[in-house]
Every structure is written in structure tokens, then in C-alpha cells.
Amino acid sequence: MSKLDYCFSNDYMVLRPDRASPFDLLHLLFSPKVGRNKAVDCFTSTEIRSFPRRLALFLNLLLQILLLSLAGPVAAIGAAVELALNFVDNVLHGKMEYPDRSSASYRSLTGLIDRRVDLDRSIAPADSRHHAALCVMASKVAYENEAFIRDVVTRRWQMEFVKFYNCWNEFESAYTAQAFVFCDKAGPDAELVVVAFRGTPAFDAARWRADLDPSWYKVPRLGRAHAAYTHALGAQRNMGWPKWVEHIKGKPQKVYAYYTIRDAVKGLLEASPKARLLVTGHGSGGALAVLFATVMAYHREKAVMDRLAGVYTFGQPQVGDAMLAMFAERNLDRPKKRHFRFTYAGDPLPRLPGVGSPAHFLHFGLCLHFDVSYNLKVIIELLL
């Protein structure tokens, strides 16, 4: 029998740091009967005999509890730091004005650390590197506010900005997925439609927790998927991934990422006969990007998948198990490679969530790894 009142899967394990008492944490250490533990949502008959695995879950829960307690203060400190840095930036550029967080000149900490926004004009659209070069900059710009993104796309890149999306997470009752869509040209002349998902912001401890969370659901025909990214992308209580859903009636601002962006992409591709689709993101944005494309394949969106040019992710965490990996490779990498996962040196993000059985989370597909000297090594992940 299931304890999870919103479960859509017959095989799942979801950690609940919000319900974990000291007794529940100790119970997790000393008893294999995790199905009777309030800190773990799974079937009541579930047991984990392995002490190292229970210890890993115990430590992960402790870390999640800490991050949840710090989420408010970290967000407040982060907002103050970014505001101060933007004020200093204004002064250094000769503008004695108070920063406006919604303006096209306001930058996130990521944007202040690395100010690059321009595309590499030495890489022509016909160059085999063009898609990757465009996606890496789109993934970076995705961390900024809507006005900043619009300004970069239209003025600096001279492309067509379509829309910025701030999407609702039904499980957390919060906006946890952001993305923007743009085209390389206006109207029916477009040759590329690009979806760029935002990764975890620098001062968002609640999202750090989600990245670390090893919770998962087994989705029929798809495999085990990372719970936090499943939630953020728009999975539905009790239904999971139906092909169609209605957005929240009377609340047009509460839209679900997968369904809203998918429908927008379908409309753009129908209006632009020559256009092909790119999906990208950094960090957790990369996780959302590859799941977005995978769920479209799951829903047999053949018209869109036939025009998918590539999924480019940067520092992408693990998103699922071997079954999901095989499904993704079968649909994204055949007849040719379309999923490209870029990693850099010792970046910890691709190692997340890093807890639990290796059978639950692993990487898949083609990995393009750069060391600290930017030497490239191509790694093919083998599915055992």
C-alpha cells in the first residue's frame, strides 16, 4: 500500500525532509523497514537491507534539512549581494542610479562573474560547431531576467525573442522552472527554434536541495526519473505524464513547463517549415532539457522529434536509470547523435545526485569532456 497521496507510479522512493523527525532519522539508520518511515515515501513493504545505502540516505536527508532551513536567509543575502554588486557595476560604468532588478541592465551573480553574452561571430551558421556555440551562450543567458534576455537576443544576437516562461511546480506549489524560447530569424524564415532552460541560481538553496535529492519515480515505458526534475517539468499529481493537461483554471500565470513550451514549439515549427529545434540548459537546466526532449518522444510527438536538431547540455546532473537512458538514446541518438553532454574538469554538478543504488541514476550518451586546459576527450557512456 502506498503512503504517497499524490503518487502516479507503482515504483518510487521520495525523500521527505519536511516530515523527518529525529526519531525518523534514527529509525532510518537502524531499521531496514524504510517503508514505515515518515521521512521516506515509498510502499510500506519496502526494505533496504544495505546499511551503507541507508546511511547515504540519512546523510542526504540531513543535508536537505539544512538547506531547507537556510533557503530564506541565503535568498535574502543573495538578493542583497546582487543588488550591491549591480550598484557598484553601475557606478563603475558611470551610472549613478539605483539598480532595477527587472531592467535589461541588471545581472545575476553568474552574469557579473562572467559578462560574456555575445555569440562567436567566427562560427558561421553552416559551421558544425554553430549549434553548440549558440546553445552554450543561451544556457548562460538563461540565468538572467526576462528584460536582459530579450535585450541580448534582439539587440546583441539580432534574433527573434519569442517568450520567457516562469513555470509552476504542482508538487512544491512554487515556480521552479524557467526557460526562454527564441528563433534565429523572424516568422516563416526561421531556421532554428531554441529552448533554453535556466539552471539552479547561485543563491537558491531550495533548488540546491532539489539537485541533491536522489528521489525517483518509475514511469511506465520510460524508466526511473529524477523526482525533482519530474516535478519541475510539469508532472501531474496522480497522473504523471498524460499527453495533455489543462492549465490551472482562473490562474493563467500558473503554467506547466513541459506542456506550455511543447505547445509553443509545435506552433513555431508549424509556422516555419524550414526550422529545426535545439534544446539546451546548464546544470539542472540541462537535466530539464534532456527530460523535455525525452518526454516528447515518450508522447510520440513525431512531428517535433523529426525536426529535433540536438539537445546540448552543460554540466548536466544525472536524470534517470538504465531503462530511461536506453529510451532516450533510442529516440535522441538514432539514426544519428542528437544528445551532446558537455562537462568540464572537476565540476561536481554532473555527479549529482550521487546517492543510492547506481542502478537508479547514471549518465548516458555522448560526453564531451574538457579538462582544465580545455583539452577535449570524447567519452561514450556504456549502458550495462
Side-chain angles (χ1 to χ4, degrees):
M1 182 177 182
S2 171
K3 300 183 295 178
L4 194 59
D5 60 359
Y6 51 75
C7 185
F8 53 82
S9 172
N10 60 5
D11 188 7
Y12 60 93
M13 180 171 289
V14 179
L15 301 189
R16 295 298 300 269
D18 55 321
R19 297 195 318 206
S21 68
F23 173 80
D24 296 316
L25 293 173
L26 289 174
H27 182 269
L28 184 61
L29 281 180
F30 296 105
S31 173
K33 297 180 179 180
V34 296
R36 299 182 181 180
N37 196 311
K38 292 181 181 178
V40 184
D41 269 331
C42 56
F43 282 87
T44 52
S45 59
T46 302
E47 294 188 4
I48 297 179
R49 296 287 178 179
S50 168
F51 176 77
R53 189 177 169 204
R54 295 203 311 276
L55 177 62
L57 294 177
F58 168 82
L59 294 174
N60 189 274
L61 274 166
L62 282 182
L63 184 55
Q64 287 194 54
I65 291 168
L66 175 63
L67 290 174
L68 281 175
S69 67
L70 293 176
V74 168
I77 293 169
V81 168
E82 284 189 346
L83 189 68
L85 291 175
N86 274 274
F87 180 75
V88 171
D89 190 60
N90 284 349
V91 172
L92 292 176
H93 286 83
K95 297 187 296 183
M96 297 298 295
E97 60 184 43
Y98 191 78
D100 178 0
R101 288 190 173 92
S102 62
S103 75
S105 61
Y106 193 91
R107 291 174 178 260
S108 68
L109 181 66
T110 302
L112 290 165
I113 292 173
D114 183 354
R115 302 182 66 87
R116 294 174 297 174
V117 295
D118 290 323
L119 301 176
D120 187 342
R121 295 300 178 184
S122 69
I123 302 177
D127 194 310
S128 61
R129 300 170 296 167
H130 177 65
H131 288 172
L134 178 60
C135 285
V136 72
M137 292 310 299
S139 296
K140 178 183 178 300
V141 171
Y143 284 95
E144 309 305 325
N145 66 48
E146 180 178 356
F148 187 100
I149 295 170
R150 182 189 296 272
D151 181 69
V152 168
V153 171
T154 57
R155 188 171 63 86
R156 306 293 285 268
W157 299 353
Q158 296 184 348
M159 295 183 178
E160 187 75 7
F161 178 83
V162 177
K163 191 169 182 179
F164 177 85
Y165 296 91
N166 188 25
C167 302
W168 186 248
N169 183 328
E170 186 175 24
F171 292 82
E172 296 188 25
S173 297
Y175 295 95
T176 62
Q178 292 76 33
F180 72 100
V181 177
F182 68 99
C183 302
D184 62 339
K185 299 174 185 176
D189 295 327
E191 296 181 5
L192 285 177
V193 174
V194 185
V195 178
F197 286 92
R198 178 183 292 174
T200 301
F203 294 105
D204 193 338
R207 301 274 63 76
W208 302 347
R209 180 199 66 79
D211 293 337
L212 291 165
D213 189 352
S215 301
W216 51 267
Y217 298 103
K218 186 171 183 179
V219 182
R221 293 193 301 110
L222 188 60
R224 290 188 177 97
H226 190 287
Y229 303 140
T230 299
H231 295 168
L233 201 55
Q236 303 293 293
R237 293 179 187 270
N238 303 313
M239 294 186 293
W241 289 115
K243 189 165 184 176
W244 307 102
V245 299
E246 290 187 15
H247 297 305
I248 302 174
K249 293 181 179 179
K251 297 181 179 179
Q253 74 279 14
K254 291 184 178 180
V255 297
Y256 304 117
Y258 168 74
Y259 298 97
T260 302
I261 298 171
R262 178 199 64 183
D263 292 348
V265 165
K266 290 172 71 173
L268 290 167
L269 292 177
E270 288 171 4
S272 307
K274 297 183 295 182
R276 300 179 71 201
L277 173 65
L278 293 174
V279 187
T280 188
H282 169 263
S284 60
L288 294 177
V290 71
L291 279 178
F292 175 77
T294 301
V295 176
M296 280 199 297
Y298 177 72
H299 285 154
R300 298 185 174 91
E301 295 285 356
K302 188 176 186 302
V304 179
M305 296 304 294
D306 285 348
R307 295 169 71 177
L308 178 68
V311 179
Y312 291 81
T313 68
F314 306 90
Q316 172 207 312
Q318 299 164 332
V319 297
D321 67 352
M323 181 177 174
L324 186 145
M326 287 188 286
F327 181 93
E329 287 197 340
R330 188 165 61 247
N331 288 277
L332 301 184
D333 287 336
R334 298 180 189 176
K336 63 179 182 179
K337 289 287 183 185
R338 293 186 295 181
H339 174 212
F340 303 94
R341 186 171 62 84
F342 290 79
T343 59
Y344 173 73
D347 183 2
L349 285 175
R351 296 174 173 83
L352 297 178
V355 176
S357 169
H360 293 164
F361 292 103
L362 75 169
H363 279 304
F364 51 88
L366 187 69
C367 174
L368 299 148
H369 181 76
F370 291 88
D371 64 20
V372 291
S373 300
Y374 287 97
N375 297 310
L376 173 63
K377 180 180 180 181
V378 178
I379 302 170
I380 298 177
E381 305 286 354
L382 298 176
L383 302 179
L384 301 178

